[in-house]
Amino acid sequence: MATRIVVAISGASGSIYGIRLLEVLQELGIETHVVASSAGMVTLRQETSLGMADLESRSDVVYRAADIGAAIASGSFRTDGMVVVPCSVRTMSEIASGITSSLVSRAADVTLKERRPLVLCVRETPLHAGHLDTMTRLANMGAFIAPPVPAFYTRPETLDDIINHTVGRLLDHLGIDNKLVERWSGTT
């Protein structure tokens, strides 16, 4: 089976990370199955002026958030993992509680129950104790909590450098080799 990744875009700020991830996965020839929440689509249009056609051009399959009969809603549909990028606190909380009211949270729940990598690029701040407790529950369930935190040891010169580094680290959590991350080799 070829590598197959589920990508979800929720309503938190940072939809450019999801777009760049899809572009890189497409460049790598990796099959992508994409779902965006309704808030995710609003944020995508607000932050990037992109829309559904742009998601479709960067993806193999795009599902509606209400399509609970989608392939990615079943554990028998094999994937190599899922990334929710950006991941809102609402989406994170639904996943942690097992509430599967949308395809985003259902696909994430399936990913966890099948013991596949689930990477949540939580993009909210500041965080209160409830958020931190939810992150701890998810980490204990096997999810990777990977906020988009810039790494300045790479000496980024552009916004694209920062975005690419974060996307490269997300790919690392899925076990996908990439050249987006400048690997640390110690101090010079």
Side-chain angles (χ1 to χ4, degrees):
M1 180 180 92
T3 303
R4 179 186 286 159
I5 300 296
V6 177
V7 176
I9 297 174
S10 75
S13 181
S15 55
I16 191 64
Y17 292 109
I19 293 299
R20 184 66 183 127
L21 177 63
L22 289 172
E23 291 169 349
V24 172
L25 290 170
Q26 192 174 56
E27 290 166 10
L28 294 171
I30 294 173
E31 183 179 326
T32 55
H33 290 254
V34 178
V35 58
S37 68
S38 56
M41 288 305 300
V42 169
T43 304
L44 179 68
R45 284 189 293 275
Q46 178 67 33
E47 292 181 344
T48 68
S49 300
L50 300 176
M52 186 58 74
D54 300 290
L55 281 183
E56 290 169 349
S57 71
R58 290 166 172 81
S59 311
D60 292 290
V61 181
V62 177
Y63 303 96
R64 292 180 345 275
D67 186 3
I68 60 165
I72 61 174
S74 174
S76 67
F77 183 75
R78 294 178 59 191
T79 70
D80 296 288
M82 178 175 178
V83 180
V84 183
V85 56
C87 184
S88 66
V89 164
R90 175 186 174 149
T91 298
M92 176 187 72
S93 299
E94 282 186 12
I95 295 165
S97 69
I99 296 172
T100 57
S101 63
S102 73
L103 184 55
V104 172
S105 55
R106 173 62 188 162
D109 189 65
V110 164
T111 301
L112 284 173
K113 79 178 184 70
E114 297 295 329
R115 306 283 195 263
R116 298 172 184 150
L118 174 63
V119 184
L120 304 177
C121 193
V122 179
R123 186 24 214 112
E124 301 278 351
T125 189
L127 301 167
H128 60 61
H131 299 147
L132 298 171
D133 287 345
T134 301
M135 289 179 184
T136 299
R137 278 199 322 273
L138 283 161
N140 288 334
M141 294 164 68
F144 294 99
I145 309 299
V149 179
F152 293 103
Y153 65 85
T154 63
R155 297 189 181 192
E157 295 179 7
T158 68
L159 184 56
D160 283 342
D161 291 342
I162 293 170
I163 293 166
N164 284 334
H165 185 270
T166 295
V167 168
R169 294 294 291 139
L170 297 175
L171 292 169
D172 284 351
H173 291 302
L174 294 169
I176 298 172
D177 288 332
N178 68 88
K179 299 197 184 325
L180 295 175
V181 176
E182 182 179 325
R183 304 294 171 183
W184 180 253
S185 59
T187 56
T188 54

